[in-house]
Amino acid sequence: MTLEATHICIDNSESMRNGDFAPNRLQAVTNACHLLCGAKTQRNPENEVGFLTMADDRVRIEETLTSDLGRLLASLTNVRPGGG
């Protein structure tokens, strides 16, 4: 198995409040990230995933690379639109 390190960039700008995806864009993105994180760590337990958020002119590292799926999913629930 190939060892992978994946860093995900999430747009959490105000436009992610739009409801063209139910319930909004940001929730749809975080749901997709849940699936991606789970798939990456399930494929190889030593794979690492991290993510950062981008809003306006701010970039924030939300979670450094880790193989701890629980930690990743907990951090994803804290992502809010508008950079918060």
Side-chain angles (χ1 to χ4, degrees):
M1 283 187 279
T2 304
L3 188 60
E4 298 178 3
T6 306
H7 220 95
I8 303 168
C9 300
I10 299 174
D11 176 3
N12 68 327
S13 63
E14 287 295 331
S15 67
M16 296 302 279
R17 292 182 190 271
N18 289 346
D20 51 350
F21 291 93
N24 59 49
R25 290 180 184 180
L26 186 59
Q27 187 62 50
V29 167
T30 56
N31 289 344
C33 288
H34 278 223
L35 292 173
L36 182 60
C37 290
K40 290 290 186 180
T41 56
Q42 187 175 29
R43 185 172 183 186
N44 183 341
E46 294 182 8
N47 282 347
E48 294 183 327
V49 182
F51 72 96
L52 58 89
T53 56
M54 301 176 297
D56 302 321
D57 60 348
R58 293 173 292 193
V59 175
R60 183 171 152 181
I61 296 174
E62 301 288 345
E63 194 60 65
T64 58
L65 290 172
T66 182
S67 58
D68 184 345
L69 182 59
R71 188 170 123 189
L72 288 163
L73 299 182
S75 293
L76 279 168
T77 62
N78 294 326
V79 176
R80 300 285 181 259

